[in-house]
Amino acid sequence: MTTYTVCPVPADTLRALRTVDDAGRPAAPFTDEEGGAPLRCCLRRSAPGERIALVSYAPLRRWAAATGARPGAYDEQGPVFVHAEECPGWAGQALPFDNSHRVLRRYSAEGRILGGRLVAADFHAALTAAFEDPEVELVHVRAVEYGCFLYEVRRGRPVPGGADRRSPGRRR
């Protein structure tokens, strides 16, 4: 049976991003008056009135630095919403943000893209199928409308430096 773990942005990375993001810019917190922003720290939508920040994040670059992978041109950074201050993290109840079309982008242990898949329903089956390929080391779940990174899914249990220990994700 294939197991996988959902990984929000790690707590140590969030602390760094709340100071200076991966593009070298200081975080600029603001009050989200309307709510609905997809938060990558706790993998839920923001509530009206919450303090959040939009920061630039390079998930593959940070993963590669921890694992020794060399993604080359596949390294990219993009905008993500996070709480402006530390939050409890992800509760790990169900696959987050699965109520819309998503792209599952598969990566090898070297950090190379192995392919992508548009998913409209049955995310569990799509992730299981992705990890049936032994070359797939991790999967990025991305929004279709903007292409933004939502969260990472790793084979098996989280690795050191991965998901926050308080919210390690749910093993499938």
Side-chain angles (χ1 to χ4, degrees), residues 60 71 74 76 105-108 110-116:
L60 196 59
Y74 294 107
E76 61 184 338
R105 191 182 295 169
R106 301 181 311 272
Y107 290 91
S108 70
E110 294 78 34
R112 305 285 192 243
I113 292 176
L114 296 175

Side-chain angles (χ1 to χ4, degrees), residues 2-151:
T2 302
T3 61
Y4 54 85
T5 301
V6 171
C7 303
V9 176
D12 58 337
T13 300
L14 289 166
R15 281 189 286 281
L17 293 173
R18 288 178 180 123
T19 303
V20 177
D21 70 12
D22 286 346
R25 291 185 291 267
F30 63 96
T31 300
D32 185 3
E33 299 296 339
E34 295 181 21
L39 298 166
R40 280 39 166 241
C41 47
C42 53
L43 302 181
R44 67 168 177 82
R45 297 217 176 257
S46 62
E50 283 191 285
R51 297 276 300 156
I52 64 174
L54 181 61
V55 298
S56 186
Y57 176 50
L60 196 59
R61 180 183 314 155
R62 287 183 175 267
W63 170 82
T67 64
R70 301 177 62 93
Y74 294 107
D75 178 27
E76 61 184 338
Q77 66 187 33
V80 296
F81 289 102
V82 299
H83 275 112
E85 290 84 31
E86 191 171 331
C87 72
W90 183 52
Q93 300 303 314
L95 283 172
F97 308 126
D98 66 347
N99 59 344
S100 185
H101 287 82
R102 301 289 179 224
V103 171
L104 302 184
R105 191 182 295 169
R106 301 181 311 272
Y107 290 91
S108 70
E110 294 78 34
R112 305 285 192 243
I113 292 176
L114 296 175
R117 178 176 174 187
L118 177 64
V119 179
D122 203 353
F123 279 67
H124 292 288
L127 284 166
T128 297
F131 286 114
E132 284 175 352
D133 178 347
E135 296 296 314
V136 173
E137 185 70 19
L138 61 100
V139 174
H140 284 180
V141 177
R142 293 181 170 262
V144 172
E145 59 274 29
Y146 297 106
C148 297
F149 171 87
L150 291 170
Y151 57 92

Side-chain angles (χ1 to χ4, degrees), residues 1-5 127-128 131 153-157 170-172:
M1 175 187 231
T2 302
T3 61
Y4 54 85
T5 301
L127 284 166
T128 297
F131 286 114
V153 182
R154 294 187 184 177
R155 182 181 297 281
R157 292 185 170 273
R170 186 173 179 174
R171 205 162 168 227
R172 302 263 179 229

